[in-house]
């Protein structure tokens, strides 16, 4: 049974959009990034703080949204005490939280690399709305794409299109770390637009 339904996958679009705007907003025509660098010349610190704030905000939002939705559903349906969720459901909530944080950081990294809010939307949103899962049904290697790997943390394992939750978490972490490090280096080394 798919404990969380389709909600986490659909909400990826909002997570990607927020991360893309967070990354790309300072690269706009107003050249806000130059002002930021004048105020805080340590570029690595700016990058780390921006990424950390995004991860924190997305993590809190994901956890409260998923846990709250499930508790409200239990309360309305009178299927049990709303605040006493099973360890399995808590595992799915934490999986969604982890997947959303990593996906947001991937979109943030893409925004910093491309200096745009548009490219993360173009590159990541199609996979967030189901293209990753669709490709995974056609080709097993697509299960290693970031959004499909993240879906392994909360999706129905009997569908047999995703990696195991542990493998999905590892693959998603690898994508996130590599892209954040590359974008961090580019953020520090490149001239401000």
């Amino acid at each position: 049974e798919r404990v969380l339904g389709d909600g986490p996958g659909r909400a990826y679009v909002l997570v990607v959009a927020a991360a893309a705007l967070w990354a790309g907003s300072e690269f706009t025509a107003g050249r806000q990034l130059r002002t930021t660098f004048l105020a805080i010349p340590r570029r690595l610190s700016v990058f780390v703080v921006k990424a950390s704030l995004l991860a924190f905000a997305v993590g809190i939002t994901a956890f409260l949204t998923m846990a709250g939705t499930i508790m409200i559903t239990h309360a309305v349906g009178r299927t049990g005490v709303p605040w006493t969720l099973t360890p399995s459901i808590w595992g799915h909530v934490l999986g969604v939280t982890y997947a959303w944080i990593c996906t947001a950081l991937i979109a943030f990294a893409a925004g910093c690399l491309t200096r745009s809010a548009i490219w993360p939307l173009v590159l990541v949103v199609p996979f967030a709305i189901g293209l990753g899962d669709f490709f995974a049904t056609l080709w097993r290697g697509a299960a290693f794409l970031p959004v499909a790997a993240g879906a392994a943390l909360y999706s129905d394992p009997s569908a047999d299109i995703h990696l195991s939750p542990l493998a999905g978490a590892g693959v998603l972490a690898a994508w996130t770390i590599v892209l954040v490090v590359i974008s961090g280096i580019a953020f520090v080394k490149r001239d401000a637009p």
Side-chain angles (χ1 to χ4, degrees):
E1 172 183 350
R2 214 173 151 155
V3 176
L4 300 176
D6 291 328
R10 290 187 183 137
Y12 265 127
V13 175
L14 299 175
V15 169
V16 171
L21 290 172
W22 183 249
S25 64
E26 289 199 274
F27 294 105
T28 59
R31 308 288 189 223
Q32 183 180 345
L33 190 61
R34 289 177 188 255
T35 306
T36 300
F37 287 157
L38 286 173
I40 307 168
R42 294 180 309 276
R43 291 180 178 204
L44 183 58
S45 296
V46 171
F47 182 82
V48 169
V49 167
K50 286 177 72 74
S52 299
L53 287 173
L54 176 67
F56 179 76
V58 168
I60 292 293
T61 302
F63 183 81
L64 292 177
T65 302
M66 289 297 111
T69 301
I70 292 170
M71 288 179 187
I72 290 169
T73 303
H74 279 243
V76 170
R78 296 187 178 130
T79 57
V81 181
W83 50 87
T84 58
L85 302 177
T86 66
S88 173
I89 293 175
W90 281 117
H92 285 284
V93 169
L94 293 176
V96 169
T97 303
Y98 177 80
W100 282 13
I101 291 170
C102 290
T103 303
L105 289 173
I106 288 170
F108 173 78
C112 288
L113 282 170
T114 62
R115 296 181 173 193
S116 166
I118 300 298
W119 281 109
L121 295 172
V122 170
L123 296 172
V124 183
V125 166
F127 291 97
I129 59 173
L131 197 57
D133 287 349
F134 174 71
F135 284 155
T137 62
L138 300 176
W139 175 55
R140 182 69 181 154
F144 290 89
L145 294 171
V147 176
L153 299 170
Y154 58 85
S155 292
D156 181 6
S158 67
D160 199 32
I161 62 168
H162 295 106
L163 303 171
S164 71
L166 186 60
V171 168
L172 189 56
W175 274 102
T176 304
I177 291 166
V178 167
L179 290 171
V180 167
V181 166
I182 291 170
S183 67
I185 291 168
F187 190 86
V188 169
K189 299 287 184 187
R190 288 192 300 200
D191 291 335

